[in-house]
Amino acid sequence: MRQCTVGSCGMVAAAALVAALVAVPAAAQTSWQYRVVGGDGTYGRLEVLPPSSTSWGSVCDDSFGLSDAQVACRSLGQSASSVSYRSVRSGEYPPSSQTFWMDDLACTGTESDLSSCTRSTSHNCVYLEAIVVRCGSTLAAPTLTNLTTYVAPTPAPAGNARGAYEYRLVGGDNATYGR
């Protein structure tokens, strides 16, 4: 573009200059943003902000697993070498009006951030289902003293060589995690 002074380039050049200035959009958020709330930067309730919104939202615990936690920590710029996750507990709940931007995540563990993972485009979550992550360490496992309910063990079928009762964990993503 040639240099012009007021009145020296004519209307066509002035119109081209105005069009060029109008065509440059204001800086807009072009990628998802991630943060943890209620913790110390490496631990807390996971929140996400899509590029199309100005409102932060939660990540639902439906189908959330270890690979998802690793990618979440990577999204936060934290180490994914030692991660843990769980559903929120009392005092960690998001506002009941806060939306869930991600549900049914299915990360492979190699993605650079959560927006690259397969996920549902809608959600069926309530505030009790928000995710808490810890990056670079593990969350303490619940003990019998802080569980709110107790379910009596089921008697084993007759002839069971393992003993009188069978126990199992449910609701987790592997045989050592659940309720």
Side-chain angles (χ1 to χ4, degrees):
M1 192 175 259
R2 69 181 193 201
Q3 189 171 2
C4 297
T5 59
V6 176
S8 70
C9 293
M11 291 298 284
V12 173
L17 179 60
V18 169
L21 291 175
V22 171
V24 177
Q29 177 190 331
T30 59
S31 60
W32 286 75
Q33 294 181 39
Y34 308 92
R35 69 182 182 187
V36 288
V37 177
D40 63 6
T42 62
Y43 161 79
R45 184 172 42 82
L46 181 61
E47 288 191 345
V48 297
L49 177 67
S52 60
S53 180
T54 58
S55 299
W56 287 88
S58 294
V59 175
C60 190
D61 66 359
D62 295 349
S63 303
F64 197 92
L66 186 58
S67 295
D68 304 311
Q70 290 170 328
V71 177
C73 289
R74 197 173 297 122
S75 300
L76 292 162
Q78 302 290 331
S79 170
S81 62
S82 176
V83 302
S84 57
Y85 66 94
R86 61 174 169 76
S87 298
V88 292
R89 295 181 183 151
S90 179
E92 298 172 325
Y93 303 133
S96 59
S97 61
Q98 187 177 57
T99 191
F100 282 84
W101 287 120
M102 293 185 172
D103 187 17
D104 299 317
L105 277 168
C107 300
T108 63
T110 60
E111 296 88 350
S112 60
D113 67 80
L114 290 173
S115 69
S116 300
C117 299
T118 301
R119 64 185 180 277
S120 177
T121 56
S122 61
H123 78 84
N124 59 351
C125 308
V126 295
Y127 69 97
L128 298 169
E129 295 179 273
I131 280 292
V132 171
V133 295
R134 179 176 296 277
C135 305
S137 186
T138 58
L139 292 169
T143 63
L144 287 179
T145 58
N146 66 11
L147 291 177
T148 56
T149 59
Y150 173 75
V151 178
T154 306
N160 184 341
R162 289 185 278 173
Y165 293 98
E166 285 187 0
Y167 299 88
R168 66 184 175 135
L169 295 172
V170 296
D173 66 345
N174 63 50
T176 61
Y177 180 79
R179 60 180 192 273

